[in-house]
Amino acid sequence: MAVFALAFIAHAYETAFAVRAPHLADSAQGNLRTKTFDYTRTEKVARVATAMMILGFILLFAGVIARGVSAGRVPWGNMYEFSITGALAFTTAYLGALRKYDLRWLGLFVSISVLLTLGTAVTVLYVPSAPLVPALKSAWLVIHVSTAIISGGIFLLANIIAGAFLFLDSMEKKGERAPWAKRLPSLDVLDQLSYRLVAFVFPLWTFSVIAGAIWAESAWGRYWGWDPKETWAFITWVAYAAYLHARVTVGWRGRRAAWLCIFAGSTFLFNYVYVNVWGTGKHTYSGL
Amino acid sequence: MKETVPEIGAVGLLRFVWRQLTSMRTALVLLMMLGVAAIPGSFIPQRTQNPVAVSDVFINSPTKALWYQRFSLFDVYASPWFSAIYILLFISLIGCVLPRAFEHYKASRALPPVTPKNLSRMEFHSEWKGDGDELEIARQWFKKNRFRVRELDGSISAEKGFTRETGNLFFHLALVLVLIGVSLGSLFGMRGDAIVNVGERFINTPTTYDSLSFGKLFNEKTLPPFSIEVDKFVGKYDPVTNAPLDYTMWVTVKSEPDATPEKKVVKVNSPLTFGSTRVYLQANGYSPIVTVRDPVGNVGYQGPVPFLPQDSNLSSTGAIKVPDITPQLGFVGSFFPTIGRANGGGGISVFPEALDPRLFLAAWTGDLGLDNGRPQSVYRINTDVMKQIGLKSLSPGETYTFEEGSITFETYVPWVNLQVVRDPGKSYALVGGIVAILGLLASLFTRRRRIWVSVSKKKVEVAGLAKNAAPGLELEMAQLAKALGRAE
């Protein structure tokens, strides 16, 4: 049973990889074609790419579910599981945002990051599925970890958009945008979009931290103990709070805001990678 | 030449400082400083979480430790500089939020502003020729969409989105409540640990604790008089990975000495609760039960001795002190719940459950040093002035006999570490947290905007103004215009 589930997961990833690879090629080709303004063909390619993204999403979703079934619990017990779920959340955030905004230009970045995350997950972080240690056995696992992962996915999406803003901004400062970049949205749109993503997910992140505190109170006897993970969650929270204030009340826009957004996002990434793998403290569930 | 500085006086200076402190820019800088100031505590070991690592720094690099100590880097989150930042931040926050709350209260009772004369200057504006009943329709539309309305001669001024500022203010005030909760917890709280053998009773008095610390304004007389008898403890482990699967403790509790006893089950995620005091199952280990006799056969000591776990397979070390036999006897011991052979020849535990327990003992004779009044650890023996008798490995039921007496390894019991925590501030912090989220949602997802409808014989005019560049007003105005009968 477990072996079957594992085989299935491996297969799901293989397919996900295979599915994403042509997507990369397609986007690249699509971008080249813009030179000739062959929009109909680009459009077709882009549609195929999106369809593959959705297929990848479904397979990844099935893979995460299968992992959960094989472990007999929610698949959020170690770093491998966090990573595959994080990749899923990230893909979901992209596809969700795609329904509302034309973000297909982002697909390239999204698929590369998902590919890298999954690659690291299967090669470096992989551990066989196993039951949870007693402290993790709580309904709060589902609430705390799922909200943290969703927040992370959206923070990173906002980060990539802020990065694209900086890149395109410096390109425009030097002169005109390169032909392939003309298709991308205007700087204003990017600026607004990354802000809106952060504003949308900041309450969720706050909730995730508070849910973690409630859980810590029942498992470890205190709701806040400046454990490295908690400290960095706090730093991320403060950084995004500063970002929101800087935008709403002080009126930061453009480059400065984008840098602050990227800084805040990197505190989140740092927390995820550094504290999980090399850090000490009570949040060392990476299984490595 | 003397420089001339305008005289502002003490009050003026105070006002200047206050204005600087409560300005948004200062608040933002303080907020970022708070984030940066929190960083060192995640790299340097902190006394409250990892006292062993702190003393390691003192042993390995004393100079570094001394400098860390000088800048409170082992207690970052209680340090003067960290406190200074957050206290200033909260003063700044209160100084910013209270006047705004007052203003907001006034504004929320006032009517929306009078319709401006020239509506075409507004951000969004449209006009068309109407048929005269638009004002009545607009009134109903505003009512249906819950706008605050001011009716004027020939026009309506409407406003919506006060929840934004309300939520914003509640969010910030809720943060103050969280801070109050945290400080109440540290002033009136207490935290203590006690190791209790299965079968023994824990009574909540200061002497039964192994370690105990009080908040500044809490004293030991106010400990609630409960008692806990540990009936049974079971730790389950994964046979493949040795990782713990489940810890369960069965207890009989009395909330007061005269209360009727109650049976309860405690797990890692479900502590016992006595009012604002909670009791957590925090760690566990084994206590070998031994009987020590003198050469004649008189019992010098009998009972369980808690040993401290050293690794995840519960290899444990401890000490057995027998001052009542002359000369005094001491045993430095290691307990292995499931014995395996280490490469070096010493013992090692290969599984945390007691499948094949073994007790390794080094027996010593001489002065234990208990009589000079200096406190010493119950888990260690200072053998400087003692003489070693010998080494022995015992299985349950076996006896080690030597010239000065004998020791029998009868059996073993598990012990549990009860962590008793009183935190009267946590409910405030929780309420603060919940209000903060609700306020945040209200402030981030409400859009404040004004819409004016003006009807004259010549034309109908609709104009709108969105504060904070909030999106969506254009769409809303299109709906209004449609409701008013504007041709597409």
Side-chain angles (χ1 to χ4, degrees):
Chain A
M1 179 72 191
V3 177
F4 169 74
L6 287 179
F8 175 65
I9 297 165
H11 181 67
Y13 290 144
E14 259 177 36
T15 324
F17 275 60
V19 158
R20 288 213 165 85
H23 173 218
L24 296 183
D26 286 350
S27 302
Q29 272 181 348
N31 289 336
L32 287 178
R33 291 226 175 87
T34 351
K35 270 186 184 164
T36 59
F37 299 101
D38 188 355
Y39 277 118
T40 47
R41 293 202 64 178
T42 319
E43 183 63 29
K44 261 187 208 159
V45 176
R47 273 190 193 172
V48 170
T50 306
M52 294 200 163
M53 208 67 188
I54 293 170
L55 184 62
F57 162 77
I58 293 169
L59 287 174
L60 190 55
F61 186 73
V64 171
I65 298 278
R67 174 74 180 195
V69 171
S70 116
R73 56 176 166 78
V74 285
W76 301 324
N78 54 49
M79 189 97 173
Y80 168 73
E81 293 166 355
F82 298 145
S83 294
I84 57 171
T85 317
L88 181 67
F90 189 53
T91 319
T92 316
Y94 165 73
L95 289 173
L98 196 61
R99 285 171 61 98
K100 220 173 157 187
Y101 309 96
D102 185 12
L103 285 176
R104 279 180 302 194
W105 53 276
L106 257 182
L108 193 67
F109 300 100
V110 174
S111 51
I112 280 189
S113 351
V114 170
L115 202 61
L116 286 178
T117 314
L118 286 183
T120 326
V122 221
T123 51
V124 185
L125 304 174
Y126 185 79
V127 285
S129 54
L132 292 172
V133 297
L136 287 182
K137 282 184 183 155
S138 165
W140 289 106
L141 173 70
V142 180
I143 300 166
H144 172 57
V145 180
S146 65
T147 48
I149 290 178
I150 293 168
S151 311
I154 297 178
F155 279 148
L156 293 188
L157 194 62
N159 241 18
I160 288 183
I161 294 173
F165 173 90
L166 288 175
F167 181 73
L168 292 175
D169 186 52
S170 39
M171 196 187 262
E172 279 187 10
K173 281 219 174 91
K174 278 184 210 141
E176 236 186 60
R177 282 188 187 189
W180 65 267
K182 282 197 175 142
R183 235 161 42 110
L184 306 189
S186 72
L187 290 177
D188 274 352
V189 170
L190 293 178
D191 193 44
Q192 273 294 321
L193 190 60
S194 68
Y195 164 69
R196 252 183 243 166
L197 285 173
V198 171
F200 169 74
V201 84
F202 185 70
L204 191 69
W205 177 245
T206 313
F207 173 77
S208 179
V209 171
I210 290 174
I214 296 172
W215 185 11
E217 197 275 329
S218 74
W220 300 331
R222 83 285 185 294
Y223 57 88
W224 194 266
W226 295 107
D227 181 77
K229 190 67 143 196
E230 294 168 354
T231 305
W232 279 94
F234 172 77
I235 294 169
T236 304
W237 190 84
V238 163
Y240 276 115
Y243 170 78
L244 291 177
H245 278 102
R247 279 197 81 107
V248 176
T249 46
V250 188
W252 280 25
R253 291 285 180 278
R255 290 193 80 82
R256 280 202 295 182
W259 277 117
L260 189 53
C261 178
I262 287 178
F263 167 75
S266 40
T267 64
F268 180 88
L269 261 188
F270 180 83
N271 195 358
Y272 179 65
V273 177
Y274 177 82
V275 179
N276 277 21
V277 180
W278 293 283
T280 54
K282 288 175 173 285
H283 275 86
T284 45
Y285 299 120
S286 68
L288 297 175
Chain B
M1 204 174 84
K2 212 178 157 193
E3 273 188 56
T4 50
V5 177
E7 194 67 42
I8 52 171
V11 178
L13 184 68
L14 221 63
R15 193 176 289 155
F16 174 75
V17 170
W18 177 250
R19 250 183 225 146
Q20 285 299 310
L21 186 62
T22 55
S23 81
M24 195 58 225
R25 212 164 280 272
T26 313
L28 203 55
V29 170
L30 283 170
L31 188 63
M32 289 181 192
M33 274 170 73
L34 187 66
V36 173
I39 295 176
S42 70
F43 293 106
I44 297 166
Q46 297 295 296
R47 211 166 257 139
T48 45
Q49 292 134 28
N50 204 346
V52 181
V54 173
S55 51
D56 281 352
V57 180
F58 271 98
I59 292 162
N60 297 333
S61 37
T63 332
K64 194 166 87 178
L66 197 66
W67 281 101
Y68 280 1
Q69 176 83 350
R70 274 183 195 151
F71 291 103
S72 319
L73 286 171
F74 292 124
D75 309 277
V76 167
Y77 307 106
S79 68
W81 47 274
F82 192 77
S83 315
I85 296 174
Y86 75 75
I87 289 171
L88 281 176
L89 179 63
F90 271 91
I91 291 175
S92 165
L93 189 154
I94 292 167
C96 190
V97 165
L98 279 187
R100 270 177 79 162
F102 190 62
E103 236 163 67
H104 180 61
Y105 176 73
K106 277 201 296 190
S108 66
R109 295 176 62 101
L111 287 169
V114 178
T115 313
K117 283 232 167 66
N118 194 346
L119 285 177
S120 58
R121 272 204 214 138
M122 289 298 154
E123 197 181 353
F124 302 104
H125 174 259
S126 65
E127 58 175 75
W128 67 91
K129 181 129 184 48
D131 16 271
D133 60 345
E134 282 84 0
L135 222 47
E136 182 51 36
I137 303 174
R139 185 180 300 123
Q140 277 165 13
W141 190 88
F142 282 134
K143 206 177 160 192
K144 198 178 88 196
N145 290 290
R146 296 194 296 145
F147 273 76
R148 289 155 21 89
V149 176
R150 178 172 190 173
E151 291 181 44
L152 296 137
D153 189 26
S155 74
I156 291 180
S157 168
E159 192 168 17
K160 195 179 177 182
F162 266 83
T163 332
R164 184 186 177 90
E165 178 73 354
T166 314
N168 180 23
L169 293 171
F170 267 97
F171 169 71
H172 286 95
L173 291 174
L175 292 185
V176 179
L177 188 62
V178 171
L179 185 72
I180 291 173
V182 171
S183 21
L184 279 180
S186 72
L187 289 176
F188 296 96
M190 60 80 55
R191 169 179 295 265
D193 284 285
I195 285 181
V196 182
N197 289 309
V198 168
E200 290 181 356
R201 176 180 298 173
F202 168 81
I203 298 163
N204 193 23
T205 54
T207 48
T208 48
Y209 283 96
D210 297 312
S211 71
L212 183 61
S213 62
F214 290 106
K216 288 187 181 69
L217 299 175
F218 185 77
N219 65 51
E220 54 188 56
K221 283 182 198 146
T222 34
L223 284 178
F226 59 81
S227 69
I228 301 166
E229 192 170 337
V230 182
D231 301 324
K232 192 178 162 195
F233 170 82
V234 174
K236 286 199 192 113
Y237 300 86
D238 189 312
V240 180
T241 61
N242 292 13
L245 293 177
D246 183 50
Y247 299 122
T248 308
M249 171 171 84
W250 287 264
V251 292
T252 308
V253 299
K254 280 192 202 174
S255 55
E256 284 167 46
D258 305 330
T260 41
E262 278 178 89
K263 298 259 179 207
K264 295 234 164 119
V265 178
V266 183
K267 283 175 176 272
V268 175
N269 268 305
S270 58
L272 283 172
T273 306
F274 300 93
S276 63
T277 307
R278 296 186 102 179
V279 182
Y280 299 85
L281 171 60
Q282 215 53 319
N284 60 289
Y286 292 99
S287 301
I289 298 178
V290 294
T291 308
V292 183
R293 294 186 175 86
D294 68 6
V296 190
N298 297 323
V299 173
Y301 177 83
Q302 183 167 43
V305 185
F307 275 33
L308 292 183
Q310 306 297 312
D311 61 26
S312 57
N313 284 330
L314 297 183
S315 300
S316 312
T317 58
I320 304 161
K321 300 179 188 182
V322 191
D324 296 341
I325 291 178
T326 327
Q328 295 181 335
L329 288 175
F331 302 89
V332 179
S334 302
F335 177 82
F336 307 100
T338 302
I339 189 78
R341 278 285 158 195
N343 289 336
I348 190 172
S349 174
V350 292
F351 197 66
E353 281 175 45
L355 302 177
D356 182 14
R358 209 60 52 89
L359 181 63
F360 282 22
L361 288 173
W364 297 77
T365 179
D367 183 11
L368 287 165
L370 292 168
D371 304 327
N372 61 12
R374 208 178 296 149
Q376 54 170 265
S377 165
V378 295
Y379 304 104
R380 281 191 201 133
I381 293 180
N382 183 359
T383 54
D384 289 352
V385 292
M386 298 182 80
K387 192 178 87 181
Q388 193 170 32
I389 301 169
L391 301 167
K392 187 75 179 172
S393 156
L394 296 174
S395 294
E398 287 182 351
T399 303
Y400 170 31
T401 313
F402 38 89
E403 206 177 298
E404 292 83 355
S406 70
I407 182 165
T408 308
F409 174 29
E410 311 280 359
T411 179
Y412 57 89
V413 284
W415 58 256
V416 290
N417 181 26
L418 300 180
Q419 186 179 51
V420 181
V421 181
R422 179 180 192 265
D423 188 346
K426 68 187 172 197
S427 42
Y428 296 93
L430 179 64
V431 170
I434 292 169
V435 174
I437 292 183
L438 295 178
L440 199 56
L441 288 173
S443 89
L444 286 173
F445 297 116
T446 319
R447 295 160 295 131
R448 175 123 186 241
R449 67 268 189 201
R450 284 178 185 155
I451 298 182
W452 295 277
V453 178
S454 162
V455 179
S456 67
K457 274 178 191 151
K458 280 184 280 176
K459 61 186 177 184
V460 178
E461 271 186 294
V462 177
L465 182 67
K467 292 210 163 173
N468 320 94
L473 182 61
E474 211 170 354
L475 191 73
E476 197 169 25
M477 286 180 54
Q479 285 166 355
L480 172 63
K482 202 177 160 196
L484 295 181
R486 182 188 179 177
E488 292 292 323

